[in-house]
Amino acid sequence: MIHAEAEEDYVVRRLNREKRCGRVEEPGDGNWRFAADVFDALELLPWIRSFTGRIVSLKCSNPEVPRRFYGDLEAMRAMYGGDADAVQ
């Protein structure tokens, strides 16, 4: 599930433009669901990462996809020090 505020219609346009193998649905509250049937969901990870900061939830029939996605985010947080070391 991806969140986009009302004035961020470019996010929804991008989802619709790039949904070659999937479907885009609006459950409400500014959230958008992208669902796709693909052979190897791991191949979608670079595209999924491009929505970092907008992802409300990530579910996949291949448990490796969310595990790797959230693991990569945690690795980046550890590498860059998290909020405690953020530049002010």
Side-chain angles (χ1 to χ4, degrees):
M1 187 98 50
I2 295 171
H3 184 78
E5 296 294 333
E7 64 275 2
E8 297 176 316
D9 58 326
Y10 57 90
V11 175
V12 178
R13 284 196 311 268
R14 180 172 170 221
L15 283 171
N16 281 305
R17 184 177 64 241
E18 297 180 6
K19 69 176 181 183
R20 291 176 207 92
C21 59
R23 304 170 295 292
V24 177
E25 304 164 353
E26 181 186 12
D29 294 331
N31 293 321
W32 295 84
R33 181 179 300 123
F34 176 81
D37 297 320
V38 296
F39 181 73
D40 183 4
L42 287 171
E43 291 180 0
L44 291 176
L45 273 173
W47 183 77
I48 293 169
R49 284 186 193 109
S50 72
F51 289 97
T52 297
R54 297 185 177 284
I55 297 173
V56 176
S57 66
L58 177 59
K59 298 177 186 174
C60 185
S61 60
N62 179 347
E64 179 67 13
V65 172
R67 187 196 69 72
R68 187 175 299 178
F69 176 79
Y70 290 116
D72 289 350
L73 285 181
E74 180 57 29
M76 283 183 48
R77 188 198 63 74
M79 185 184 315
Y80 291 103
D83 289 338
D85 294 336
V87 175
Q88 299 288 327

